[in-house]
Amino acid sequence: MTNAERVRGVVQAHRGERGALLPILHQLQEEFGWIDPQIVPVLAEELNISRADVHGVISFYTDFRSEPAGTTAVRLCRAEACQSVGAEQLVADAEQVFGVKCGQTTPDRSLTLDQVFCLGNCALGPSAQVNGKVYGRVDRSRLVEILAERRA
């Protein structure tokens, strides 16, 4: 089955829903791991909306990726509560340790570093999320330790 056929199948499953684009994009992101720009014309045609509308939604929401993510996803909280206890230093340390900026993936695709503006773990900041699991009181050494544990 081609990607276009898979996209059409997802669209068909949501056809008739109000505001179907967001649930469709979430399902495609879950299935493919990213939203390939080549499927934008297929989505636009199937939903009878412009390519610009589809692209606008993908580029507006930070949860949608336009390129494949790394095998390990690290999200660092930069909300006010985490900032007050060292989030900015954690971000700087993570960028130095991994050699990429927030929003980027390492060249070997082993890790994607992202920022979020609340993980709901405010009392235990700075917080990080690694492959969906939230950790509190994270600093440079704890982040490196968490990643080493996950790889072991």
Side-chain angles (χ1 to χ4, degrees):
M1 179 180 290
T2 68
N3 284 351
E5 291 170 334
R6 290 166 68 188
V7 169
R8 286 186 181 94
V10 171
V11 170
Q12 189 57 41
H14 293 277
R15 196 164 303 283
E17 290 179 19
R18 238 181 113 160
L21 181 57
L22 280 174
I24 289 168
L25 289 171
H26 280 291
Q27 188 172 341
L28 292 171
Q29 173 100 359
E30 188 174 317
E31 185 172 332
F32 294 113
W34 63 300
I35 307 294
D36 186 339
Q38 293 182 352
I39 69 169
V40 169
V42 177
L43 281 172
E45 179 183 327
E46 288 295 316
L47 295 171
N48 196 29
I49 58 178
S50 73
R51 292 179 187 187
D53 287 338
V54 176
H55 175 73
V57 170
I58 294 167
S59 61
F60 179 78
Y61 291 102
T62 57
D63 281 347
F64 297 127
R65 302 196 59 76
S66 293
E67 61 182 41
T71 18
T72 301
V74 176
R75 300 170 78 198
L76 303 177
C77 181
R78 296 185 84 174
E80 291 81 3
C82 284
Q83 279 184 27
S84 70
V85 291
E88 294 309 309
Q89 184 61 53
L90 177 60
V91 169
D93 288 343
E95 289 178 344
Q96 183 183 34
V97 167
F98 305 129
V100 293
K101 298 285 186 194
C102 280
Q104 295 180 334
T105 300
T106 57
D108 66 357
R109 298 239 180 259
S110 65
L111 184 136
T112 296
L113 181 63
D114 279 319
Q115 63 183 355
V116 293
F117 289 91
C118 192
L119 288 169
N121 199 32
C122 304
L124 299 175
S127 296
Q129 184 181 58
V130 179
N131 287 346
K133 184 174 179 184
V134 176
Y135 297 87
R137 296 194 174 103
V138 179
D139 60 12
R140 179 187 191 122
S141 61
R142 174 111 166 88
L143 184 58
V144 169
E145 178 184 302
I146 290 166
L147 292 171
E149 288 171 3
R150 293 193 65 82
R151 289 184 178 142

